[in-house]
Amino acid sequence: RAVSQDGFLTVLDTIGFGDTQLPHETVVKSLRDTAIEAPHGIDALLFVLKKERVTQADQETLDYVSKLLFGPECLPNLYFIITHAGRLAKDAKLRRPWFHEQSAVSPPFAAMCAHLGAEPLRRIAFVENADPRQAEDQEDGLLVEKRRARALSDILVLLDSHGAPPYLHGIMQRAQELPRGR
């Protein structure tokens, strides 16, 4: 759990679907426990995808989350974060051509983007994977921090344009009814 300094954004991270080291039940329990930590709803569900490596398993995971686990009511709050997207993160003009090309060559990607509505690019953030531990010197460290700040800013802009009310699943409503301290 992480909260921004101004309290505007709370991120509840879960272990991911597709982790072959964990039983499916463990992942579902993690998502349920995370949902309980958001008793007033979830403003955004961020589905993280690696650029140009979207698989059938990713599509099945999204289908499971949106149809069975949370239900289709969560879709207005769904956003994609495309990682390893250096040039796309820096140059917005490259995004639309990349998106159309990727949709044409990857049926799973196209199917997943159909969940994002009529203007899917308005619900996708492109980020570089800047790792401060890989900085070779102070100058490189400053560049990494600049990339990380741009990624956070892009995600915040995406969420700021968000118009849907928080998504509230039945388990979250029940969590509101639990006595404090549980």
Side-chain angles (χ1 to χ4, degrees):
R1 179 184 185 117
V3 180
S4 64
Q5 289 180 347
D6 62 3
F8 174 76
L9 181 65
T10 300
V11 176
L12 303 173
D13 193 12
T14 67
I15 54 178
F17 277 104
D19 186 333
T20 57
Q21 305 299 315
L22 298 170
H24 182 72
E25 296 78 26
T26 302
V27 176
V28 171
K29 182 183 181 309
S30 173
L31 285 171
R32 186 203 66 218
D33 292 347
T34 299
I36 289 172
E37 289 189 52
H40 302 291
I42 297 173
D43 290 308
L45 296 167
L46 305 178
F47 198 91
V48 179
L49 297 163
K50 188 171 182 179
K51 180 181 165 253
E52 296 174 13
R53 225 177 111 205
V54 177
T55 65
Q56 185 68 35
D58 292 326
Q59 181 185 352
E60 291 168 2
T61 298
L62 181 60
D63 286 344
Y64 179 81
V65 169
S66 65
K67 293 178 182 170
L68 300 173
L69 187 63
F70 289 144
E73 298 82 15
C74 75
L75 292 177
N77 301 77
L78 176 67
Y79 295 88
F80 289 169
I81 307 298
I82 307 292
T83 64
H84 299 85
R87 290 181 55 219
L88 298 171
K90 292 181 236 172
D91 190 348
K93 293 179 292 198
L94 300 174
R95 296 173 186 171
R96 188 168 300 281
W98 175 86
F99 176 82
H100 289 297
E101 178 183 325
Q102 192 67 20
S103 295
V105 300
S106 174
F109 181 76
M112 292 173 73
C113 288
H115 290 295
L116 298 179
E119 296 182 58
L121 279 171
R122 295 186 68 197
R123 308 244 313 263
I124 299 174
F126 297 88
V127 300
E128 297 175 82
N129 290 59
D131 185 348
R133 297 171 297 184
Q134 294 181 354
E136 295 180 14
D137 55 29
Q138 186 176 5
E139 184 179 330
D140 200 25
L142 292 172
L143 185 58
V144 166
E145 285 308 314
K146 180 180 174 185
R147 290 176 178 156
R148 290 178 62 158
R150 180 176 53 226
L152 181 58
S153 174
D154 288 351
I155 292 169
L156 289 174
V157 166
L158 185 74
L159 297 178
D160 199 34
S161 66
H162 181 70
Y167 165 70
L168 193 59
H169 188 274
I171 198 167
M172 296 170 198
Q173 293 169 330
R174 289 190 294 280
Q176 289 177 345
E177 299 164 5
L178 289 174
R180 290 279 175 207
R182 279 185 117 180

